[in-house]
Amino acid sequence: MIDTKAFGREANRTAGATHEARPLFFIADLHLSEAIPKTVAAFEHFIDVTTNDADSVFILGDLFEFWVGDDMLDPSVTGERAELARRMTKRLHMLSERGIGLYMMHGNRDFLLGPHFMKEAGAMLLPDPFVVTAFGSRIVLAHGDGLCTADRNYQRFRDVARNRFAQNLFLRLPLETRLRISQRMRTNSKDARSTGMSAKYDVTKQAVSALFIGSRTQTMIHGHTHRPAMHREVEGTRWVLPDWELDVDPPRGGYLRIDRNGVRALPL
Ligand code: MN
C-alpha cells in the first residue's frame, strides 16, 4: 500500500501490502506531558479506537512536550514524567502489534527521541522532510519548524539543536541536569502557543515554495504552527495539522485521514 520515498532514501513497507486501501492517519503537536491528563487520555483513545482500520499512523513531531534522552525509558528512573514516557511508548507499540505501521518525525520539542525509543515504540523514524506515496499521490511531510524561516533566532537554535555533536554532549549530562535545562528552555521558548498569531512564527511563502519544488509534490502536510488549515498555495495544497490541547476550554485537537477519496481533516 505505502511506498515511502525520501530524497534518495527509501523505506519498504511490506506489511501494508496485505491490507490494500486502508487509510493513513496523521497527527502532530500533542505536546504530551503529565500536566495534561485529558490530552493523554484522548491520545490513548486515538491509538486504541480511532486508528482501528489504519494502514499506518504518522506522527509529524512534538508528540511529547519534551524529551531529554531515551534513558527516560529506563525502569530505574522514577517520577511521573518517566512513567508517562514509558506508558506512552508502550501504547504506541500496540499499533505494530495490531499490524499498523508507525512512522515518526522529530519535532522541535522531542528531537532527542532516539533509536532505543523507536525500537520500544515499534516506530520508524522519518527524516524531515519526507515524501510518502499514498493512494497514487506523492505527499511531502515535515514537522514545520524548518519552514518558519522568518524567525532567524529560532533557525540558529535549530541548527545547533539538530547537530549530532551538540546532541551527544547534551546527552552525556546527568538526566536531572538535562531536565532542568529543558525546563528553562521551555519557559523562555517563544513558540506558536505563547506568542499568538505573529507572522514571524508562521511558515514563509519562500520556504513552502522551495519544499514543494524540491520534493516535486503538490500536497504538503505539516504541523508546528498550531494553525490548522488547508491552504491552496501556488504549487499545491498545504494541510496544517492542529495541535492537541484537551485540558483547556474549548478543547483543541484533530487529525488528517487519507484514503482513496483523498485527504480529510477530522475532529477527535
Ligand atoms: Mn513544533
Side-chain angles (χ1 to χ4, degrees):
M1 181 66 250
I2 303 183
D3 169 27
T4 43
K5 281 198 181 71
F7 299 70
R9 267 178 268 197
E10 198 163 323
N12 288 316
R13 166 116 176 79
T14 46
T18 56
H19 27 78
E20 186 71 22
R22 284 193 178 208
L24 314 187
F25 289 78
F26 296 81
I27 56 173
D29 300 291
L30 283 77
H31 294 269
L32 297 179
S33 83
E34 70 282 0
I36 48 170
K38 286 182 186 161
T39 310
V40 169
F43 172 66
E44 290 175 324
H45 183 266
F46 178 81
I47 295 295
D48 295 352
V49 179
T50 314
T51 59
N52 201 33
D53 65 339
D55 177 276
S56 320
V57 174
F58 290 77
I59 304 178
L60 301 186
D62 288 349
L63 172 64
F64 294 104
E65 174 67 355
F66 66 98
W67 192 268
V68 295
D70 289 357
D71 48 353
M72 294 262 286
L73 297 178
D74 192 314
S76 67
V77 181
T78 54
E80 261 187 299
R81 285 172 190 146
E83 270 159 35
L84 181 78
R86 290 195 287 268
R87 213 171 89 222
M88 295 300 100
T89 307
K90 276 209 188 89
R91 204 60 162 229
L92 289 167
H93 196 269
M94 289 165 66
L95 288 171
S96 59
E97 289 163 33
R98 286 153 53 202
I100 299 169
L102 173 60
Y103 299 90
M104 291 185 67
M105 201 173 261
H106 284 147
N108 54 301
R109 302 302 191 95
D110 59 8
F111 57 85
L112 287 173
L113 287 168
H116 179 60
F117 166 82
M118 294 298 158
K119 186 163 174 283
E120 294 292 306
M124 182 187 276
L125 178 66
L126 299 179
D128 180 357
F130 187 82
V131 177
V132 63
T133 302
F135 298 93
S137 68
R138 299 174 73 254
I139 303 168
V140 65
L141 312 176
H143 176 56
D145 58 327
L147 300 169
C148 299
T149 49
D151 188 356
R152 297 274 169 76
N153 286 334
Y154 172 70
Q155 292 302 327
R156 267 196 295 276
F157 165 77
R158 187 175 192 266
D159 287 344
V160 177
R162 304 281 180 126
N163 177 283
R164 187 68 60 87
F165 180 72
Q167 289 185 358
N168 285 338
L169 283 180
F170 180 77
L171 288 170
R172 253 186 263 161
L173 299 169
L175 182 59
E176 275 311 310
T177 312
R178 278 177 273 145
L179 285 168
R180 246 194 342 267
I181 293 172
S182 107
Q183 179 64 52
R184 204 175 313 142
M185 283 171 51
R186 275 178 291 133
T187 311
N188 297 335
S189 117
K190 297 189 175 96
D191 62 8
R193 177 171 301 207
S194 55
T195 48
M197 300 303 274
S198 158
K200 188 177 160 193
Y201 303 106
D202 201 355
V203 302
T204 63
K205 285 246 175 277
Q206 296 90 316
V208 166
S209 173
L211 184 54
F212 270 124
I213 293 164
S215 62
R216 293 174 289 109
T217 57
Q218 289 172 347
T219 308
M220 182 184 300
I221 300 175
H222 71 80
H224 180 67
T225 60
H226 303 185
R227 302 172 202 209
M230 189 207 52
H231 298 277
R232 301 259 184 225
E233 309 283 4
V234 180
E235 302 84 357
T237 307
R238 178 169 66 93
W239 294 86
V240 186
L241 290 161
D243 66 315
W244 291 30
E245 176 57 281
L246 289 98
D247 293 80
V248 295
D249 197 25
R252 303 190 299 271
Y255 60 95
L256 292 182
R257 185 181 188 278
I258 304 185
D259 60 23
R260 57 160 64 106
N261 299 316
V263 187
R264 258 189 307 162
L266 293 165
L268 294 175

